[in-house]
């Protein structure tokens, strides 16, 4: 049974801390109810178990693109007893039916072309696994501006706007904010929507 709230996964990293992570969860929570798995609870084991049960999933963490072997591109999770990387290879084995997956992490929409395969990327693997719509990034993103962008995005979603429209409005609001502090395209243009971007039921 899919739940109506958003499942948020926010691993904690020793090497690459995300100082704005808890604030991003707060911003999402302002508009929409969330079930959050944070720090050690944000393990791969829990993600594989819980993510398929929710209609909307928000991953807030690190994504790494492997240009040499795109099948080894991955999302980084908190250290579990085993490995803490969810690779493209692993995602292909997933079975899920999320209406919306937001990958609030670096380079999640970047892929490499492989002969006979096409472009191999994290997002393509998630579509193969059954996700209907993905919000992804095309480069290394800024922690602070992303927090503001995501807060605005979920506010629009909760107002019943389409997914693509919600992202567009949130980007426009971000550009105007604080006298154009985040007006440069680096802060907002990297996030794009792919898949079925209709309103969420």
């Amino acid at each position: 049974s899919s739940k109506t709230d958003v499942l948020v996964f926010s691993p904690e990293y020793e090497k690459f801390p995300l100082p704005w992570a808890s604030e991003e969860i707060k911003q999402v929570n302002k508009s929409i109810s969330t079930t959050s798995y944070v720090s050690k609870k944000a393990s791969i084991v829990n993600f594989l178990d819980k993510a398929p049960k929710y209609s909307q999933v928000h991953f807030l963490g690190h994504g790494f693109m492997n240009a040499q072997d795109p099948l080894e591109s991955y999302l980084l999770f908190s250290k579990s007893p085993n490995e803490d990387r969810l690779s493209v290879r692993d995602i292909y084995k997933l079975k899920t039916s999320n209406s919306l997956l937001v990958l609030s992490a670096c380079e999640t929409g970047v892929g490499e072309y492989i002969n006979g395969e096409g472009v191999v990327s994290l997002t393509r693997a998630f579509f193969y696994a059954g996700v209907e719509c993905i919000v992804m990034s095309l480069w290394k993103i800024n922690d602070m501006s992303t927090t503001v962008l995501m807060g605005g995005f979920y506010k629009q979603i909760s107002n019943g706007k389409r997914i693509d429209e919600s992202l567009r409005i949130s980007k426009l609001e971000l550009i105007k904010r604080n006298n154009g502090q985040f007006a440069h395209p680096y802060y907002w243009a990297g996030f794009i929507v792919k898949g079925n971007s209709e309103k969420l039921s």
Side-chain angles (χ1 to χ4, degrees):
S1 64
S2 72
K3 299 185 171 73
T4 50
D5 54 350
V6 178
L7 175 67
V8 177
F9 260 75
S10 177
E12 206 170 284
Y13 306 108
E14 285 167 33
K15 280 187 190 167
F16 321 98
L18 290 171
W20 283 81
S22 58
E23 182 58 32
E24 186 169 323
I25 297 172
K26 269 188 214 152
Q27 291 300 320
V28 175
N29 239 329
K30 274 184 185 172
S31 306
I32 212 155
S33 66
T34 59
T35 302
S36 299
Y37 282 74
V38 180
S39 191
K40 290 187 177 70
K41 279 191 170 177
S43 64
I44 285 185
V45 176
N46 278 340
F47 184 84
L48 296 176
D49 175 44
K50 307 292 179 194
K53 296 170 184 165
Y54 283 75
S55 170
Q56 299 177 56
V57 177
H58 185 97
F59 176 82
L60 197 184
H62 289 299
F64 291 93
M65 169 66 202
N66 186 329
Q68 278 65 50
D69 184 359
L71 286 168
E72 288 305 318
S73 298
Y74 60 91
L75 296 178
L76 186 64
F77 283 78
S78 297
K79 288 258 186 275
S80 47
N82 317 323
E83 190 44 67
D84 59 348
R85 296 176 175 191
L86 185 68
S87 71
V88 168
R89 266 195 185 88
D90 303 325
I91 297 163
Y92 270 119
K93 297 173 198 157
L94 255 180
K95 288 272 183 294
T96 188
S97 59
N98 315 116
S99 311
L100 174 63
L101 170 64
V102 175
L103 295 173
S104 183
C106 294
E107 301 182 335
T108 49
V110 184
E112 285 291 318
Y113 185 83
I114 296 181
N115 279 337
E117 279 286 320
V119 176
V120 175
S121 67
L122 287 161
T123 46
R124 184 176 164 193
F126 274 117
F127 279 128
Y128 183 86
V131 176
E132 289 174 31
C133 182
I134 302 176
V135 173
M136 64 192 85
S137 65
L138 298 176
W139 52 70
K140 290 191 182 340
I141 55 175
N142 177 278
D143 198 18
M144 184 178 172
S145 57
T146 299
T147 296
V148 180
L149 184 72
M150 291 301 168
F153 171 73
Y154 281 101
K155 183 178 159 198
Q156 298 304 324
I157 291 277
S158 71
N159 289 340
K161 295 273 196 304
R162 288 171 52 105
I163 297 167
D164 50 3
E165 184 68 357
S166 295
L167 187 62
R168 190 182 75 82
I169 295 169
S170 184
K171 284 178 177 182
L172 291 172
E173 286 176 350
L174 183 74
I175 291 166
K176 291 178 200 153
R177 195 183 173 94
N178 296 355
N179 300 323
Q181 180 189 359
F182 300 124
H184 191 283
Y186 160 72
Y187 293 108
W188 51 267
F191 278 103
I192 60 168
V193 178
K194 267 192 182 170
N196 177 9
S197 57
E198 297 288 322
K199 286 179 191 173
L200 291 160
S201 52

